[in-house]
Amino acid sequence: MLSPTALASAFDRVSDHWSPKVIGKVNDQLLKAAKLKGELVWHAHEGQDELFYIVKGSLRIEFEDGAVYLEKGDFITVPSGVRHNPVAQEECWVLLIEPAATKHTGEEVTSRTRSLEEQLA
């Protein structure tokens, strides 16, 4: 039997900032819960769009031509190949929706980069 998941409780699985956890799947799209604080890294995802939905807090996403500010309840889809850098002044909870093939930080690899295996754990 199917049972619902409370989105807020899905964030209990996330213990570290910038370390998303897969909380669901729709076809080839993964739903990921992430807690963000500070700055990630400039990166792009070639061949995959990425949706950010703000569950709690606020987020600034820097783009090469300016920044977008998101508050609780807002979402934005970053198109494939667009360089971006998420920045959260205070802790922000984000639901990410992206293809399963999406690399966490694109081709940029840092100490914050998480493999899909780490995101599934």
Side-chain angles (χ1 to χ4, degrees):
M1 173 181 261
L2 296 175
S3 60
T5 299
L7 184 55
S9 69
F11 284 87
D12 292 343
R13 293 191 48 215
V14 182
S15 56
D16 297 320
H17 294 126
W18 304 108
S19 188
K21 295 296 180 189
V22 175
I23 59 170
K25 182 178 179 180
V26 178
N27 299 315
D28 68 337
Q29 301 289 314
L30 297 179
L31 287 74
K32 301 177 181 181
K35 293 179 181 177
L36 315 180
K37 187 172 180 183
E39 183 173 342
L40 185 56
V41 63
W42 279 95
H43 67 285
H45 305 284
E46 297 301 328
Q48 297 101 17
D49 297 337
E50 179 179 36
L51 184 139
F52 289 78
Y53 172 76
I54 309 306
V55 175
K56 179 179 173 183
S58 61
L59 181 68
R60 181 178 81 243
I61 301 181
E62 298 173 341
F63 296 99
E64 291 178 329
D65 62 350
V68 172
Y69 296 86
L70 303 164
E71 300 290 334
K72 179 181 176 181
D74 292 342
F75 74 90
I76 190 169
T77 300
V78 179
S80 167
V82 173
R83 289 181 52 76
H84 59 287
N85 183 27
V87 180
Q89 295 300 319
E90 301 296 327
E91 184 174 85
C92 176
W93 292 9
V94 177
L95 173 67
L96 300 166
I97 302 174
E98 57 193 19
T102 303
K103 294 180 181 177
H104 182 220
T105 53
E107 296 303 319
E108 304 297 324
V109 178
T110 74
S111 61
R112 290 188 169 162
T113 302
R114 298 293 176 259
S115 69
L116 181 56
E117 291 75 23
E118 290 173 298
Q119 295 175 58
L120 288 166

